[in-house]
Amino acid sequence: MSWEFNLKGRDFISTQDWSRQELQFALDTAADLKRKFKVGEPTRYLQDRTLFMIFFDKSTRTRNSFEAGITQLGGHGHFIESQTSQIAHGESPKDMGIILSTYGHGIAIRHDLVPGQGNAYIREVAKWADIPVYNMQCDVDHPFQMMADLMTIQERFSTRSLRGMKIAVSWAYAPSYAKPLSVPQGLIMLMTRFGADVTLARPKEFALMPETVEAARANAAKSGGSLRVVEDMDEAVQSAHVVYAKSWGALGYFDDKEGYLKLAAKYKDWRVDNRRMGMAAPEGVYMHCLPADRNNEVTDEVLDGPRSVIYQEAENRLHTAKAIMALTMR
Ligand code: CP
């Protein structure tokens, strides 16, 4: 492994916090770690390091990619549910950040269910911690998912720059719960950074946080990409190289499940099926961070079909998490 950039000690809370070159360096490191994992080459770059993983929400991919990842790097991960720690009794992010910094080498936090809270909480821990702090998904961004998604696109299309690529990020119907906005927000911010032409499609009630849309517009202006916002899924998927459709909640409805379900039910036809994938570019792929609400957000025929890269995306969560830990916790 080469150390082209010195990222030791850096937090990773939003992809916006790292330069494009630093992000690409992390992706190249992930590719190196992926190859080594596949051939069984040891990568014990973080021997005896400890990572604290604090969850305010459920997880399959994130927890297991971090926990397996830190083990494969030679360290150990502590799984901490907020409800079984003193966080539940109101312990401050300041005290936790300071104290865990004296016990180990990295703090990773998922706090994604309440708009306006998670990112602020993670940044408050980071302000006081003197070890790297990682965002395992907040209300604003899901940066480790974004890195896995970008790695998957770069692999699939054999390119680093996304200039000329059309990416459709669309809301999709799911009759479950108001999911965080952080995946679509993270996508529009990161993909515009790498030069993509991004179309965001959502019903009018499912607008994203305005500051993330503004950030994406600024990124596009700098990279030569673009951001377009429409209220029609068909318009977004037309000629798209990537169709990334998933459900998210409506701001103002996160503590009103019945209201959210009633609102979402107005848009049951926002689903990706073979008809819609037929409108994408011939080489276009379907992506989803998972878990997917099968046959609501997307049909089985698409999810299990030849254009779906969902398992490659999920696999790349491991390699991108390892890369960022290896580069920052060493
Ligand atoms: N994509 C993702 O973050 O999955 P989990 O919620 O299972 O961690």
Side-chain angles (χ1 to χ4, degrees):
M1 182 181 286
S2 70
W3 303 107
E4 196 178 329
F5 292 89
N6 184 0
L7 297 169
K8 185 175 178 178
R10 290 277 293 277
D11 301 325
F12 193 58
I13 298 175
S14 171
T15 60
Q16 291 283 111
D17 301 337
W18 286 24
S19 73
R20 179 170 164 177
Q21 291 74 20
E22 289 168 341
L23 295 170
Q24 188 58 57
F25 179 56
L27 291 167
D28 293 344
T29 305
D32 181 52
L33 287 164
K34 185 172 184 175
R35 184 189 62 76
K36 288 174 173 160
F37 181 72
K38 287 186 182 295
V39 298
E41 195 175 317
T43 54
R44 299 177 67 80
Y45 305 126
L46 298 180
Q47 201 143 1
D48 302 326
R49 306 287 207 285
T50 301
L51 174 72
F52 303 103
M53 307 182 302
I54 303 166
F55 283 86
F56 288 73
D57 189 13
K58 298 169 181 56
S59 170
T60 297
R61 280 144 292 273
T62 305
R63 175 187 174 176
N64 289 294
S65 58
F66 271 87
E67 196 162 334
I70 187 68
T71 303
Q72 291 163 21
L73 292 168
H76 179 69
H78 290 197
F79 174 66
I80 303 159
E81 279 182 300
S82 65
Q83 283 307 306
T84 57
S85 78
Q86 293 294 7
I87 293 170
H89 288 151
E91 181 153 36
S92 73
K94 171 183 174 178
D95 292 351
M96 200 182 60
I98 292 171
I99 292 162
L100 293 183
S101 295
T102 67
Y103 294 170
H105 307 88
I107 303 172
I109 303 171
R110 167 169 281 194
H111 190 328
D112 59 350
L113 287 176
V114 187
Q117 288 191 9
N119 192 269
Y121 183 92
I122 295 170
R123 290 203 184 275
E124 182 66 10
V125 173
K127 179 176 158 189
W128 297 101
D130 56 14
I131 56 178
V133 172
Y134 307 124
N135 176 3
M136 295 194 294
Q137 186 170 17
C138 71
D139 52 325
V140 176
D141 201 352
H142 192 355
F144 286 88
Q145 180 68 50
M146 295 307 108
M147 293 296 276
D149 292 341
L150 181 53
M151 182 177 184
T152 305
I153 294 170
Q154 290 186 341
E155 287 175 337
R156 181 76 181 201
F157 292 94
S158 303
T159 181
R160 286 179 166 195
S161 167
L162 306 187
R163 280 298 293 275
M165 285 191 66
K166 293 185 177 178
I167 299 185
V169 177
S170 179
W171 185 86
Y173 171 69
S176 50
Y177 67 101
K179 294 173 187 163
L181 279 59
S182 43
V183 168
Q185 292 175 166
L187 284 169
I188 65 168
M189 290 192 287
L190 184 61
M191 300 310 159
T192 50
R193 213 106 181 262
F194 279 71
D197 295 315
V198 177
T199 301
L200 170 68
R202 80 295 182 273
K204 59 182 183 305
E205 297 93 338
F206 291 86
L208 302 181
M209 293 175 176
E211 59 272 26
T212 65
V213 178
E214 283 318 303
R217 286 198 199 288
N219 292 344
K222 199 169 165 192
S223 69
S226 62
L227 176 71
R228 193 165 60 110
V229 182
V230 301
E231 293 183 9
D232 181 343
M233 195 190 245
D234 282 353
E235 194 178 340
V237 302
Q238 193 71 47
S239 307
H241 298 96
V242 174
V243 175
Y244 200 129
K246 75 174 299 296
S247 80
W248 62 80
L251 289 169
Y253 285 84
F254 272 77
D255 52 5
D256 175 11
K257 185 169 180 184
E258 288 310 309
Y260 161 75
L261 289 173
K262 202 170 155 194
L263 176 63
K266 284 168 60 182
Y267 302 106
K268 283 185 177 175
D269 58 333
W270 283 61
R271 168 190 298 138
V272 177
D273 54 15
N274 273 346
R275 180 189 72 80
R276 283 199 161 114
M277 284 309 293
M279 298 166 71
E283 69 274 38
V285 296
Y286 176 79
M287 298 182 72
H288 193 299
C289 57
L290 302 180
D293 194 321
R294 283 175 175 264
N295 298 310
N296 283 304
E297 295 175 288
V298 52
T299 59
D300 282 345
E301 60 188 357
V302 171
L303 211 50
D304 299 326
R307 303 174 80 172
S308 170
V309 294
I310 56 168
Y311 298 123
Q312 189 178 339
E313 274 181 274
E315 179 188 348
N316 285 337
R317 291 295 308 272
L318 174 69
H319 309 300
T320 46
K322 283 167 72 176
I324 290 165
M325 286 193 284
L327 292 168
T328 56
M329 276 174 65
R330 65 198 173 86

